[in-house]
Amino acid sequence: MKHRYIFVVGGVLSGVGKGTSVSSIALLLKDKGYKVTAIKIDPYINVDAGTMNPVEHGEVFVTVDGDETDQDIGNYERFLNTEITSINYMTTGRVYQSVIERERNLEYKGKCVSVVPHVPQEAIARIKKAAEHAEADFVIIEIGGTVGEYENILFLEAARMMKLADPEAVQFVLVSYLPVPASIGEMKTKPTQHAVRLLNGTGIQPDFIIARSAYMIDAARKRKLSVHCNMAPEDIIPAPNLDSIYEVPLKFLQDKLSDKILAKFGLKRKNGKLKEWRKMVRTIKNVKREVKIAVVGKYFSTGNFVLSDAYISVIEAIKHAAWYHKYKPTLEWLNSEEYEEDPRKLKELDQYDGILIPGGFGTRGVEGKIAVVEYARENSIPYFGICYGMQMAVVEFARNICGLENANTAEINPSTENPVIHVMEEQAANLAEKKYGGTMRLGSYNCKLKKDTVAGEAYEKRVVSERHRHRYEVNNNYRKPLEENGMVISGTNPERDLVEIIELPNHPFFVGVQFHPEFQSKPLKPHPLFRQFVKASIKRIKKKAQSRFKFNTKRASKKEVLEEFAKAAESSNASLKEKKVTQRSS
Ligand code: GLN
């Protein structure tokens, strides 16, 4: 089987949309009936993303087979509607680790093992293995970072070597940025020209440039780039800012990018109109009614900027669910530490239709999270707790409902009298031996659902499989008091009898999950629990509107009543604007 490889590299800036470009190209080729897979290369020394601070790195995306990878893998999964496994992810650390291991095993047969060619050769072997594993017609490979960096040079060298070995099987796409400086008011091509020169210096000539910018690149600038970068003008593909990343494949389709790729590979054009995807994008563009969700976490700020990267899959999953209900999600990132400094601030939570606490680690901001859970529980605000967010819900319930004083997670207070969340047995050993990398309970595990519960009804299944990333769990010794006081354990792991899902009846929606459902949500297939959470949040909007209208309309006419109702619904939406965030999508 002949595999074809498309390397995607970045120029000028990081964060301009390499991941989205890879995902979009992959989707376009898949839509034409080809088998496609995508690989992410991260050029750092870390063996995986699991040991990095989320503020620095962004989200750690967990694969079904338990690898702690980069958020771009999440994008590939969401666009391709498929599972991508560990074989499709590599870092410099991982590649060097294999080379050194092989050298120790005498696999190089006494040769002097050198950075070049042995390191690029190892990268090539991994790329080919992933191609074979997926039986892929096309493999799209994203090389992290930007050209000109010291870090990714060995991977560019691997790409060059592959092109040399089989020129017909390899193409290069440069995703570059074209600034429009306010003081000049014109789109500038010079940084991209330099990026192409740098790439040429590594022996690579791009086949396509994806021209990322705030605006459409015009014919004059295409001509300029064509001359200076030694390319046909039609191979410079416009990529202006769009409202949603899910529109990007449609934009590329309009510019016939996939047909041009096929033509360069000497393959015939094929139909593919992205029918289902187009329908989904139309929905996204047309939704008007808003549902306001607060995400309470701590990994938001870097200097003066707010970054939501650490929670990217959670955010996408909320969007998918809201669009499913034909609502527009308005998301607000709230820093849990603020509720520790000033508990009066909790009142502000009333304005949200739903509150979500995602995964997390460590002490900072934890008491603020517990206060938020208590507020959501007492004030009937839909609450969805994921991993740490679930553990905090258990701690809150134990303290305030079961009367278990000082109940806590052993992660915060290892000597607490009431460790309602305690360390998993095998994890205690890992921690004692300082084995931190890749040792959490990772990847997919089964969860058996209880009938007639929120979770049981949402999934419409008895057993589901969800992805995990944690060291602590609900302490089974406390299940009795928790259940006697009204907490429902609606999901458990059948093999080890671990608590996987908790919920509170008599609440509009109060669900906590030990796993990460966000990793499985797709725009074309929203996750059932997110769907239910957003549904409950929408109900709250309607209820709020209704109670306002009752209050105001003692003796009003029918017309006035209806007007009042519409006004109330609108103002409950208008009180908040989504904060501008910088979202890294590459
Ligand atoms: N810190 C918690 C644990 O390790 C929760 C982890 C998470 O939220 N991903 O169990």
Side-chain angles (χ1 to χ4, degrees), residues 359-361 386-388 391 411 469-472 516:
F361 295 85
I386 295 178
C387 207
Y388 218 20
Q391 297 177 352
E411 181 171 352
R469 182 172 187 252
H470 63 116
R471 294 192 199 277
Y472 296 82
H516 290 269

mmCIF file of all heavy atoms in Angstrom, residues 359-361 386-388 391 411 469-472 516, ligand 1:
data_model
loop_
_atom_site.group_PDB
_atom_site.id
_atom_site.type_symbol
_atom_site.label_atom_id
_atom_site.label_comp_id
_atom_site.label_asym_id
_atom_site.label_seq_id
_atom_site.Cartn_x
_atom_site.Cartn_y
_atom_site.Cartn_z
ATOM 1 N N GLY A 359 -11.087 19.401 35.508
ATOM 2 C CA GLY A 359 -9.999 18.709 36.193
ATOM 3 C C GLY A 359 -8.978 19.681 36.757
ATOM 4 O O GLY A 359 -8.878 20.824 36.326
ATOM 5 N N GLY A 360 -8.224 19.220 37.745
ATOM 6 C CA GLY A 360 -7.191 20.069 38.330
ATOM 7 C C GLY A 360 -6.329 19.295 39.309
ATOM 8 O O GLY A 360 -6.598 18.133 39.605
ATOM 9 N N PHE A 361 -5.316 19.969 39.792
ATOM 10 C CA PHE A 361 -4.369 19.341 40.716
ATOM 11 C C PHE A 361 -3.933 20.356 41.766
ATOM 12 O O PHE A 361 -3.891 21.553 41.478
ATOM 13 C CB PHE A 361 -3.115 18.856 39.954
ATOM 14 C CG PHE A 361 -3.422 17.767 38.974
ATOM 15 C CD1 PHE A 361 -3.869 18.072 37.696
ATOM 16 C CD2 PHE A 361 -3.291 16.441 39.328
ATOM 17 C CE1 PHE A 361 -4.170 17.085 36.783
ATOM 18 C CE2 PHE A 361 -3.594 15.434 38.431
ATOM 19 C CZ PHE A 361 -4.026 15.751 37.154
ATOM 20 N N ILE A 386 -15.957 17.702 36.821
ATOM 21 C CA ILE A 386 -15.168 16.733 36.077
ATOM 22 C C ILE A 386 -13.881 16.442 36.845
ATOM 23 O O ILE A 386 -13.114 17.365 37.146
ATOM 24 C CB ILE A 386 -14.867 17.262 34.661
ATOM 25 C CG1 ILE A 386 -16.178 17.382 33.880
ATOM 26 C CG2 ILE A 386 -13.868 16.374 33.941
ATOM 27 C CD1 ILE A 386 -16.028 17.924 32.486
ATOM 28 N N CYS A 387 -13.657 15.200 37.152
ATOM 29 C CA CYS A 387 -12.452 14.733 37.829
ATOM 30 C C CYS A 387 -12.255 15.486 39.154
ATOM 31 O O CYS A 387 -12.948 15.208 40.104
ATOM 32 C CB CYS A 387 -11.245 14.824 36.902
ATOM 33 S SG CYS A 387 -9.993 13.625 37.344
ATOM 34 N N TYR A 388 -11.361 16.491 39.206
ATOM 35 C CA TYR A 388 -11.205 17.244 40.456
ATOM 36 C C TYR A 388 -12.529 17.898 40.837
ATOM 37 O O TYR A 388 -12.868 18.001 42.014
ATOM 38 C CB TYR A 388 -10.132 18.315 40.272
ATOM 39 C CG TYR A 388 -9.238 18.527 41.484
ATOM 40 C CD1 TYR A 388 -9.125 17.560 42.465
ATOM 41 C CD2 TYR A 388 -8.487 19.695 41.629
ATOM 42 C CE1 TYR A 388 -8.295 17.754 43.571
ATOM 43 C CE2 TYR A 388 -7.655 19.898 42.714
ATOM 44 C CZ TYR A 388 -7.564 18.920 43.683
ATOM 45 O OH TYR A 388 -6.737 19.111 44.766
ATOM 46 N N GLN A 391 -14.423 15.353 42.634
ATOM 47 C CA GLN A 391 -13.855 15.095 43.960
ATOM 48 C C GLN A 391 -14.222 16.229 44.933
ATOM 49 O O GLN A 391 -14.545 15.976 46.103
ATOM 50 C CB GLN A 391 -12.338 14.925 43.844
ATOM 51 C CG GLN A 391 -11.954 13.702 42.985
ATOM 52 C CD GLN A 391 -10.447 13.542 42.788
ATOM 53 O OE1 GLN A 391 -9.661 14.409 43.168
ATOM 54 N NE2 GLN A 391 -10.052 12.437 42.171
ATOM 55 N N GLU A 411 -5.023 14.471 48.667
ATOM 56 C CA GLU A 411 -4.101 15.242 47.822
ATOM 57 C C GLU A 411 -3.760 16.577 48.509
ATOM 58 O O GLU A 411 -2.644 17.063 48.405
ATOM 59 C CB GLU A 411 -4.764 15.494 46.460
ATOM 60 C CG GLU A 411 -3.892 16.263 45.485
ATOM 61 C CD GLU A 411 -4.474 16.306 44.079
ATOM 62 O OE1 GLU A 411 -5.480 15.622 43.797
ATOM 63 O OE2 GLU A 411 -3.900 17.049 43.258
ATOM 64 N N ARG A 469 -7.637 10.319 33.965
ATOM 65 C CA ARG A 469 -6.300 10.846 34.260
ATOM 66 C C ARG A 469 -6.298 11.323 35.714
ATOM 67 O O ARG A 469 -6.613 12.478 35.999
ATOM 68 C CB ARG A 469 -5.972 12.012 33.315
ATOM 69 C CG ARG A 469 -4.590 12.583 33.536
ATOM 70 C CD ARG A 469 -4.212 13.601 32.484
ATOM 71 N NE ARG A 469 -2.849 14.007 32.627
ATOM 72 C CZ ARG A 469 -2.471 15.211 33.074
ATOM 73 N NH1 ARG A 469 -3.354 16.130 33.377
ATOM 74 N NH2 ARG A 469 -1.187 15.499 33.193
ATOM 75 N N HIS A 470 -6.019 10.412 36.634
ATOM 76 C CA HIS A 470 -6.050 10.798 38.050
ATOM 77 C C HIS A 470 -5.255 9.820 38.908
ATOM 78 O O HIS A 470 -4.935 8.711 38.476
ATOM 79 C CB HIS A 470 -7.497 10.869 38.546
ATOM 80 C CG HIS A 470 -8.228 9.553 38.489
ATOM 81 N ND1 HIS A 470 -8.678 8.899 39.612
ATOM 82 C CD2 HIS A 470 -8.582 8.764 37.445
ATOM 83 C CE1 HIS A 470 -9.286 7.784 39.255
ATOM 84 N NE2 HIS A 470 -9.238 7.667 37.947
ATOM 85 N N ARG A 471 -4.969 10.277 40.140
ATOM 86 C CA ARG A 471 -4.289 9.403 41.108
ATOM 87 C C ARG A 471 -5.178 9.139 42.322
ATOM 88 O O ARG A 471 -4.929 8.231 43.086
ATOM 89 C CB ARG A 471 -3.005 10.072 41.632
ATOM 90 C CG ARG A 471 -1.934 10.260 40.583
ATOM 91 C CD ARG A 471 -0.616 10.656 41.234
ATOM 92 N NE ARG A 471 0.276 11.271 40.258
ATOM 93 C CZ ARG A 471 1.049 10.591 39.420
ATOM 94 N NH1 ARG A 471 1.035 9.275 39.426
ATOM 95 N NH2 ARG A 471 1.836 11.229 38.565
ATOM 96 N N TYR A 472 -6.151 9.993 42.519
ATOM 97 C CA TYR A 472 -7.011 9.874 43.709
ATOM 98 C C TYR A 472 -8.400 9.417 43.285
ATOM 99 O O TYR A 472 -8.768 9.506 42.106
ATOM 100 C CB TYR A 472 -7.067 11.230 44.431
ATOM 101 C CG TYR A 472 -5.713 11.633 44.954
ATOM 102 C CD1 TYR A 472 -4.775 12.241 44.108
ATOM 103 C CD2 TYR A 472 -5.348 11.384 46.270
ATOM 104 C CE1 TYR A 472 -3.503 12.588 44.567
ATOM 105 C CE2 TYR A 472 -4.089 11.736 46.741
ATOM 106 C CZ TYR A 472 -3.168 12.336 45.884
ATOM 107 O OH TYR A 472 -1.922 12.665 46.338
ATOM 108 N N HIS A 516 -12.928 11.941 32.174
ATOM 109 C CA HIS A 516 -12.957 13.176 31.369
ATOM 110 C C HIS A 516 -13.831 12.990 30.128
ATOM 111 O O HIS A 516 -13.313 12.643 29.057
ATOM 112 C CB HIS A 516 -11.533 13.561 30.951
ATOM 113 C CG HIS A 516 -10.697 14.027 32.093
ATOM 114 N ND1 HIS A 516 -10.620 15.347 32.462
ATOM 115 C CD2 HIS A 516 -9.926 13.341 32.966
ATOM 116 C CE1 HIS A 516 -9.833 15.471 33.511
ATOM 117 N NE2 HIS A 516 -9.390 14.255 33.836
HETATM 118 N N1 GLN B 1 -5.919 15.773 41.199
HETATM 119 C C1 GLN B 1 -6.927 14.768 41.093
HETATM 120 C C2 GLN B 1 -6.339 13.368 41.024
HETATM 121 O O1 GLN B 1 -5.195 13.205 40.692
HETATM 122 C C3 GLN B 1 -7.831 15.029 39.926
HETATM 123 C C4 GLN B 1 -7.163 14.858 38.615
HETATM 124 C C5 GLN B 1 -7.876 15.538 37.478
HETATM 125 O O2 GLN B 1 -8.735 16.380 37.703
HETATM 126 N N2 GLN B 1 -7.521 15.215 36.252
HETATM 127 O O3 GLN B 1 -7.032 12.419 41.277
#
